[in-house]
Amino acid sequence: MFYRIPKFNYYRASTLNEALDLVSSLNDFKVLAGGTDLVIDLKVRRYTVKNVVDISRIKELDYIADDGDRVRIGALTKLQSIADSPIIREKAPVLADAVREMASWQIRNVATIGGNLCNASPAADTAPPLYVLNATLRLVSKEGEREVPITEFFLGPRKTALRSRELLKEIVIPHEPDCGASFLKLGRRNSFTLSVVAVATLVKVDKNKFADVRIALNSVAPTPVRARKAEECLKGKEISLNNITEAAKLVLHDISPISDVRASAEYRKDMSVVLTRDSLIKSLERVGIKV
Amino acid sequence: MIRFIFGRRNYYPSSGEIMASIEDPYVLIDKWLRAKEFIVVGKGVARTDAFEKALGKAKYVEDYFQSGILFIKQVLSTEPHARIKGINVEEALRKPKVVRVITASDIPGENQVGYALPDQPLLAEGKVRFHGEVVALVVAEDIDAALEASESVRINYEPLPHILDPLEALQRKDVLVHEEVGSNIAFRTRIRKGNVEEGFSKADVIVENEYRTHHQDHLYLEPEGALAIPGLDGRLTVITAAQYPHLAQSIIARVLGVPASDIKVIVPYMGGGFGGKDDEGPLTAAKAALTAYLTGRPSFILYTREESMRTHPKREATIIKYKSGAARDGKLTAIDVTIIHDTGAYANRGPFILWRATVHASGPYHVPHAKVDGYCVYTNKVYQGSFRGFGNPSVQFAAEAQMDELARKLGMDPVEFRLRNMLRPGLTTITNQLLDHSVGIADAVEQLAKVSGWYSKRREYGVSTGRFRRGIGIGVAWHGISTSRGVPDWSNAYIKIDKDGSVTAFTGIVEMGQGSPTSSHRQIVAEVLGAPIEKIKVTFGTSDAPDGGATHASRGTSIGAIGVLVAAAKIRERLNKLASELLNCSPDEVVIREGKVYVRGDVERSITWEELIKHAYSRGVDLSATGYFFLPKGKFDDTVGQGQAYPAFSYVAMIAEVEVDTETGKVRVLKVWPALAAGRIINPQQVEGQIEGAAVQGMGYVLMEQLVFDDKGRLLNPDLTDYVVPTALDVPEIAKPVYVEDLFKYGPFGAKGVGEMALIPAPAAIANAVSHALGVRITKLPITPEAVYFEVKKHGLIK
């Protein structure tokens, strides 16, 4: 394994339109946003491409907008901006929680949220919170725009629903005021590490019952996943430690972890259950309920 | 000629009456050992490189690279064990800007770089013995060209069956890593003290366990690098990251087949060594030197992180079978230990590492009957080598687990049990070495138990059945100073004082972050000469200094600084004599302090340091000296492992408090308390830094670091993504160390070694704390969350 970055043609877009022109005229390309994944992947030859389209300087895709009932995050928004944003902290705190634990300060100041999603790593830490927030992704091409729910965006490791001429423009997060959400990550150390398992949960409560429950995990399947079985099991049920514990076990129906250098499949399975339960308890705490 | 008499003052050699001043190192070392007041020794004097490093201005090997210098890229084996049928370099040579491809057959001298045994080539010859072994060097005009061409070197391998498991390797004769050896055992050690059968017959409790410890990568911030410049200064000069410039010099000379005097080695600031650059440094230097020699051009090599991790030697992985017995009165009666070191493809320093593990197998305790057998076993993996602790952390982990288990069976507190058996002056080690002085460990452990609140916490913790369980554990360890057994060890340095009164000390000791040349050496010279400390410059890491040994084995100050002490002390004697004539007093009455030279009790009768130096130049006083000191060693019989193992031992203890999350297996180290009995503390600030760094490196080793190999012995995580080391957020609170200054008679001002110390008991302390928290004995490292979780599950500790 020799780490020489292979030769490629380099194109730089300074506006979204320029970028769309480039991606519709070029073949065999990769899009460079923050580059914290792509540059390494080119060096280790995960990808060999003729062309690289650098979109990192497109200012118009770097924003966090508060529209009242929803928050929109431009695809080129840096992770650190998300962690620091008062809007995110108020309206989607679970995303800020996840982002704060990602990588290091230096990398968070280069890496973008769009890059984290489009790279489509099964371990993407922005995915579980966006899953439970019911985020949608706005994809754009010269033909126009379309919206895809985030749960339909990931197709497999490094594979997304993006068409070849499409770019991710923004992430739209509906604002849901009466919910509690939390993110828990188990890594091999306390910071700057890839998830062995990470879980985000979101709960809505009505008279000591679960009105709505959303659970998402990463690193335990080819893509980040929603744990639908466990969610369904809790909906309408009374809030109790026993119900939470039993439901958490059902995440196993929606995950299919592998063994690798970071952890065994068996450990990941067991930890998915533990973290789901812990995260549900924490989410409930955030709406003032102690179980 | 040994003329040391310990315990007598003002001793002059018989020829002393006719000598101008004292030059005998024994007398000088002893004289300064007895100093009662200090000017700079024992103080937290800031190191000279502090600002340069904080500002990013300090230069490392890579900083001397300039364009136009040839770049060297290594071609690594993709087979764990194979015959090399041929190496086709044609395609690589046709690539643009490629200057040369170097293989074993190009080596003009000896292709032999094994340190302990002659089993290791610089470039693979005949066969490769691990996945990652260096087969060829591609030399090109720039880095990109070298990288590209390195992929075009075609090596024709005939694969051979390979062995990865050391236990399998021990048994098999049909698959041999080194055919010429006749087995896969590279080296054996043994200790026979007393009669273990008799010892065990007197035991009321016996504990028998098998322990396993794993590899560790040094992961120094600066990977290996070297720049070789032919012809500079009339020699081949190599700027490199190596822990022993003179060793690099002799390895280069051997590989090139030239006299050592044709080679100059300079070691600038180094970004960490930890032993790894003691082994790999000279080899890195030799590759750059070989290229420069063959091309006649300045040549540069710099390992990538992946290359570094795949090629350089690792901390040994071990299997330790340990049986020990104790009587009801709490006294150890016998130990029977088998130590197996997986040395990988080459012996490297494996035999020395095994000797250290063997001799330290008991822990710092008195054991009347001991039997220890050590095996250094070849396998087809990256080879083992020097790493902070040098075979000792693994065996202390095993020994200390045994101590806890014996204490449990006896119903005794673990600290109490240890204190009953602890080495003290007048007792013998398992090699039957009588310890006559400098044994401060019992005092250190007693103090440590107090400051950590050991006794109450030990009772309070370890009984919880909840999710989060606390535990407290202790690790006590010892570490021999200098080389083991009769292996010669010495110190040396050269000091000169220029006409303006500025002082330069030249030493081969390097600065790799530990700070000995930039702090303790300077303090020692300033203390002994009495010159203002600002006037002291230490030029380190150069083969032009007298050979004073390596910067390893915690010897940078303990042994390394004896040379500067003796050289400075010789000059001081001459200056005292001169000053006594100038001030009209006896030499004993001369005080030189911070630039002022005066008569004791009469500060007015004085001259300045600068004036004194001027007088010395005009009156014919020699202001240059070397400080050679050959460390006296006793007899050691290798066949039974009995005799003097080391001139003295440093001692260290650590108490760790942990919290285990039984549902995830995650261990949080809440706080550690270190204690050190390492003789005089020359610079408390530096010692604290060493202790903290070692404690964290030890914690990383125990809790998260591990190398993962596939079934071909290929390293699967040779990178910073998947080889996980602690970050600032993983570091526990580290208490102020307890110091017991148990002076060592040959150490500079009585100092013993520090650098490795706090790492050595860390695995034991943390593993014992986790075992205490869970009530389950941990016998295998690392204690990753996953490992702990399955241990918890196996023992049904949670529902």
Side-chain angles (χ1 to χ4, degrees):
Chain A
M1 199 187 292
F2 293 100
Y3 288 178
R4 186 173 61 93
I5 197 156
K7 288 208 169 75
F8 51 76
N9 301 313
Y10 172 81
Y11 300 89
R12 185 160 78 209
S14 45
T15 65
L16 179 57
N17 274 334
E18 271 181 39
L20 292 174
D21 283 343
L22 282 168
V23 299
S24 47
S25 61
L26 292 170
N27 287 312
D28 193 14
F29 65 88
K30 273 278 168 191
V31 175
L32 175 80
T36 56
D37 284 317
L38 182 68
V39 173
I40 291 164
D41 285 342
L42 289 173
K43 281 190 180 177
V44 303
R45 311 218 181 139
R46 175 174 268 150
Y47 310 119
T48 45
V49 287
K50 264 207 200 100
N51 307 299
V52 167
V53 178
D54 181 357
I55 60 167
S56 67
R57 305 200 192 179
I58 302 178
K59 293 248 170 24
E60 63 195 282
L61 292 184
D62 181 1
Y63 56 85
I64 298 170
D66 185 354
D67 298 348
D69 61 345
R70 58 182 194 169
V71 172
R72 289 178 298 116
I73 305 172
L76 291 177
T77 307
K78 306 277 190 283
L79 293 178
Q80 191 61 37
S81 310
I82 293 168
D84 293 341
S85 161
I87 299 171
I88 301 296
R89 274 195 232 166
E90 188 203 328
K91 300 209 161 165
V94 65
L95 178 62
D97 288 349
V99 169
R100 254 196 302 275
E101 285 193 43
M102 290 172 73
S104 64
W105 181 84
Q106 289 88 338
I107 288 175
R108 289 195 299 270
N109 273 295
V110 179
T112 66
I113 185 165
N116 189 243
L117 294 172
C118 294
N119 184 50
S121 158
D125 280 340
T126 59
L130 291 174
Y131 269 50
V132 300
L133 290 167
N134 279 344
T136 53
L137 305 184
R138 190 164 285 164
L139 314 181
V140 58
S141 69
K142 293 199 69 112
E143 280 70 52
E145 292 189 12
R146 63 180 180 124
E147 282 196 13
V148 173
I150 187 156
T151 45
E152 291 167 24
F153 183 69
F154 299 104
L155 304 180
R158 321 279 161 189
K159 286 199 191 80
T160 69
L162 272 175
R163 294 174 190 145
S164 67
R165 309 300 182 200
E166 256 179 344
L167 293 172
L168 172 62
K169 185 182 164 194
E170 65 179 9
I171 297 107
V172 183
I173 303 171
H175 178 49
E176 297 176 271
D178 303 315
C179 64
S182 69
F183 174 81
L184 290 179
K185 169 171 170 172
L186 183 71
R188 290 165 296 170
R189 64 182 167 205
N190 291 336
S191 71
F192 202 5
T193 187
L194 292 168
S195 297
V196 167
V197 189
V199 178
T201 62
L202 180 145
V203 297
K204 286 184 183 175
V205 173
D206 183 24
K207 296 198 194 79
N208 205 34
K209 284 201 167 112
F210 286 102
D212 197 2
V213 179
R214 295 173 213 153
I215 301 165
L217 303 94
N218 75 14
S219 303
V220 287
T223 68
V225 289
R226 280 282 287 272
R228 305 278 183 188
K229 264 244 159 54
E231 293 175 0
E232 287 311 316
C233 165
L234 278 177
K235 276 181 204 167
K237 277 226 178 99
E238 206 164 296
I239 295 169
S240 73
L241 184 58
N242 191 47
N243 282 343
I244 293 169
T245 308
E246 288 308 310
K249 290 178 188 162
L250 298 178
V251 298
L252 296 177
H253 288 280
D254 287 296
I255 64 173
S256 51
I258 55 161
S259 293
D260 62 17
V261 90
R262 282 159 217 157
S264 70
E266 197 187 347
Y267 183 63
R268 283 193 164 107
K269 278 183 185 167
D270 289 6
M271 290 309 104
S272 296
V273 174
V274 170
L275 263 66
T276 299
R277 184 202 58 198
D278 288 356
S279 175
L280 284 168
I281 292 169
K282 203 169 163 190
S283 294
L284 286 166
E285 278 172 15
R286 295 208 163 145
V287 286
I289 296 172
K290 253 190 127 39
V291 288
Chain B
M1 178 171 56
I2 295 173
R3 291 191 303 207
F4 177 76
I5 297 177
F6 190 66
R8 208 199 288 176
R9 291 197 68 147
N10 298 326
Y11 169 75
Y12 284 79
S14 55
S15 58
E17 284 75 25
I18 54 159
M19 284 168 68
S21 59
I22 306 168
E23 303 278 321
D24 186 317
Y26 286 96
V27 177
L28 295 169
I29 290 167
D30 183 49
K31 178 176 175 175
W32 289 96
L33 178 70
R34 289 163 194 284
K36 290 276 179 283
E37 282 172 49
F38 300 100
I39 308 166
V40 285
V41 159
K43 306 211 162 59
V45 177
R47 49 195 288 175
T48 50
D49 48 346
F51 283 106
E52 252 181 301
K53 288 183 174 171
L55 295 171
K57 289 185 174 170
K59 284 192 165 190
Y60 297 79
V61 170
E62 191 184 353
D63 297 315
Y64 295 94
F65 176 75
Q66 291 177 345
S67 61
I69 292 175
L70 295 177
F71 193 89
I72 305 160
K73 185 69 190 175
Q74 309 183 76
V75 179
L76 309 185
S77 166
T78 52
E79 289 292 325
H81 196 194
R83 284 197 201 293
I84 301 172
K85 305 299 283 183
I87 304 175
N88 187 341
V89 302
E90 295 309 314
E91 191 187 336
L93 284 173
R94 278 198 302 271
K95 297 277 178 186
K97 297 189 194 171
V98 172
V99 173
R100 185 156 186 164
V101 178
I102 298 168
T103 60
S105 61
D106 295 312
I107 291 174
E110 284 178 55
N111 186 22
Q112 181 49 255
V113 293
Y115 294 120
L117 302 172
D119 67 352
Q120 186 183 343
L122 181 70
L123 299 174
E125 196 167 350
K127 70 178 195 174
V128 290
R129 295 181 177 86
F130 71 98
H131 192 291
E133 180 160 6
V134 184
V135 181
L137 306 174
V138 174
V139 186
E141 296 289 347
D142 60 41
I143 181 168
D144 284 335
L147 292 183
E148 192 180 342
S150 68
E151 293 167 53
S152 307
V153 174
R154 307 278 169 238
I155 302 159
N156 182 9
Y157 293 112
E158 179 196 320
L160 297 167
H162 62 277
I163 294 191
L164 302 178
D165 177 44
L167 292 180
E168 190 193 337
L170 259 180
Q171 305 304 329
R172 288 184 69 165
K173 291 274 195 299
D174 56 328
V175 180
L176 294 175
V177 181
H178 294 265
E179 289 85 355
E180 65 282 5
V181 179
S183 81
N184 288 310
I185 301 172
F187 195 75
R188 290 191 60 171
T189 56
R190 63 196 331 230
I191 281 178
R192 297 288 183 274
K193 181 190 186 186
N195 178 337
V196 284
E197 283 75 30
E198 187 194 327
F200 284 116
S201 74
K202 288 180 182 159
D204 294 305
V205 293
I206 286 175
V207 170
E208 198 166 358
N209 276 316
E210 184 178 303
Y211 300 90
R212 286 186 183 241
T213 68
H214 61 302
H215 294 96
Q216 184 181 22
D217 192 278
H218 307 77
L219 221 78
Y220 14 70
L221 279 177
E222 178 203 27
E224 298 83 350
L227 169 61
I229 307 164
L232 185 70
D233 194 12
R235 295 173 282 180
L236 174 60
T237 298
V238 185
I239 301 170
T240 190
Q243 288 176 232
Y244 187 1
H246 300 84
L247 177 63
Q249 179 190 31
S250 70
I251 294 279
I252 294 166
R254 187 198 296 167
V255 168
L256 299 186
V258 302
S261 56
D262 283 357
I263 307 295
K264 174 179 176 173
V265 172
I266 300 168
V267 180
Y269 288 134
M270 211 195 295
F274 312 115
K277 286 177 187 161
D278 199 22
D279 297 340
E280 192 66 19
L283 310 191
T284 315
K287 290 167 199 165
L290 174 64
T291 308
Y293 183 87
L294 293 175
T295 61
R297 293 180 55 186
S299 305
F300 177 68
I301 187 168
L302 183 70
Y303 294 21
T304 62
R305 178 63 61 189
E306 291 72 12
E307 224 174 351
S308 168
M309 292 188 72
R310 288 175 63 189
T311 59
H312 86 246
K314 306 290 182 268
R315 179 185 300 289
E316 72 286 352
T318 74
I319 299 161
I320 300 171
K321 294 172 188 172
Y322 208 126
K323 180 181 173 189
S324 39
R328 220 175 297 287
D329 65 357
K331 292 276 194 182
L332 289 166
T333 61
I335 58 168
D336 185 347
V337 191
T338 303
I339 303 169
I340 296 164
H341 282 186
D342 176 356
T343 196
Y346 295 104
N348 186 28
R349 284 190 167 90
F352 306 143
I353 295 167
L354 186 64
W355 258 123
R356 191 168 272 274
T358 304
V359 163
H360 289 83
S362 59
Y365 307 108
H366 177 253
V367 185
H369 305 281
K371 172 172 172 280
V372 187
D373 287 289
Y375 300 86
C376 180
V377 183
Y378 289 124
T379 59
N380 293 111
K381 292 204 289 283
V382 61
Y383 52 108
Q384 80 159 6
S386 318
F387 197 145
R388 205 174 200 173
F390 208 71
N392 207 6
S394 47
V395 82
Q396 301 300 302
F397 158 69
E400 287 295 272
Q402 291 289 110
M403 291 302 278
D404 266 19
E405 288 305 301
L406 286 169
R408 190 175 58 80
K409 283 196 166 178
L410 289 166
M412 287 180 72
D413 176 87
V415 167
E416 189 52 44
F417 176 59
R418 282 171 172 81
L419 285 169
R420 281 198 198 181
N421 293 287
M422 208 151 274
L423 287 170
R424 294 163 200 265
L427 290 177
T428 57
T429 68
I430 50 168
T431 69
N432 220 15
Q433 175 176 348
L434 178 70
L435 299 174
D436 59 351
H437 79 297
S438 192
V439 192
I441 186 60
D443 186 6
V445 168
E446 277 168 22
Q447 287 188 47
L448 194 62
K450 225 172 271 170
V451 298
S452 62
W454 167 270
Y455 292 104
S456 59
K457 286 174 180 167
R458 184 76 190 184
R459 277 192 303 272
E460 211 178 291
Y461 301 163
V463 292
S464 162
T465 53
R467 173 174 177 175
F468 295 96
R469 301 183 193 179
R470 283 205 178 187
I472 191 164
I474 188 166
V476 187
W478 58 330
H479 199 65
I481 294 307
S482 170
T483 44
S484 66
R485 302 159 292 137
V487 178
D489 195 10
W490 64 91
S491 186
N492 205 354
Y494 166 65
I495 294 182
K496 69 179 175 91
I497 305 178
D498 278 307
K499 286 197 194 83
D500 63 354
S502 63
V503 182
T504 314
F506 295 85
T507 174
I509 295 300
V510 304
E511 165 31 42
M512 51 185 177
Q514 91 287 20
S516 32
T518 57
S519 61
S520 65
H521 284 224
R522 199 162 157 260
Q523 283 168 271
I524 288 165
V525 174
E527 185 74 46
V528 170
L529 287 177
I533 193 157
E534 312 78 63
K535 291 209 182 278
I536 316 292
K537 166 106 184 159
V538 177
T539 295
F540 55 82
T542 169
S543 64
D544 279 355
D547 186 343
T551 311
H552 65 197
S554 306
R555 73 187 291 290
T557 294
S558 62
I559 309 294
I562 300 174
V564 290
L565 178 122
V566 169
K570 284 180 185 172
I571 297 174
R572 175 65 189 262
E573 293 298 321
R574 300 172 202 160
L575 289 175
N576 276 3
K577 190 164 175 293
L578 172 66
S580 73
E581 287 162 17
L582 294 168
L583 297 172
N584 203 14
C585 65
S586 85
D588 286 348
E589 290 173 308
V590 174
V591 179
I592 310 180
R593 195 184 167 98
E594 290 160 338
K596 203 167 175 189
V597 185
Y598 57 93
V599 180
R600 179 167 291 112
D602 187 358
V603 186
E604 297 309 309
R605 273 162 74 196
S606 74
I607 56 170
T608 66
W609 169 259
E610 288 79 6
E611 284 165 342
L612 180 66
I613 299 306
K614 263 190 204 135
H615 281 293
Y617 267 88
S618 58
R619 288 172 181 238
V621 177
D622 181 7
L623 295 185
S624 65
T626 53
Y628 185 71
F629 179 68
F630 189 80
L631 216 61
K633 298 247 167 167
K635 283 210 173 84
F636 191 92
D637 181 351
D638 279 3
T639 59
V640 288
Q642 295 289 281
Q644 198 203 29
Y646 296 94
F649 294 84
S650 266
Y651 301 89
V652 59
M654 183 183 285
I655 287 178
E657 191 174 331
V658 302
E659 184 178 81
V660 184
D661 179 348
T662 53
E663 298 206 4
T664 61
K666 208 171 162 180
V667 173
R668 216 153 55 94
V669 180
L670 304 173
K671 186 166 179 177
V672 299
W673 290 263
L676 190 66
R680 178 96 59 203
I681 305 296
I682 306 281
N683 187 323
Q685 192 179 306
Q686 288 304 116
V687 171
E688 217 172 292
Q690 283 293 305
I691 289 176
E692 288 179 358
V696 174
Q697 196 168 37
M699 188 200 73
Y701 175 57
V702 185
L703 295 185
M704 56 186 82
E705 296 179 37
Q706 56 180 334
L707 297 171
V708 184
F709 297 94
D710 73 3
D711 56 10
K712 274 183 87 181
R714 182 172 69 108
L715 187 56
L716 293 177
N717 57 339
D719 54 51
L720 297 172
T721 305
D722 284 319
Y723 188 81
V724 180
V725 294
T727 67
L729 289 178
D730 298 285
V731 174
E733 184 184 348
I734 300 171
K736 279 267 173 206
V738 166
Y739 295 133
V740 172
E741 296 189 85
D742 51 351
L743 303 188
F744 165 45
K745 61 188 176 185
Y746 300 132
F749 291 95
K752 297 189 280 184
V754 171
E756 296 165 278
M757 294 314 141
L759 194 146
I760 298 166
I766 294 170
N768 283 346
V770 172
S771 300
H772 181 229
L774 297 177
V776 167
R777 170 53 44 193
I778 300 289
T779 56
K780 188 170 181 281
L781 301 181
I783 315 172
T784 59
E786 180 162 355
V788 173
Y789 173 75
F790 285 116
E791 200 67 20
V792 164
K793 214 173 162 183
K794 188 173 93 189
H795 290 91
L797 302 182
I798 49 166
K799 283 169 280 172

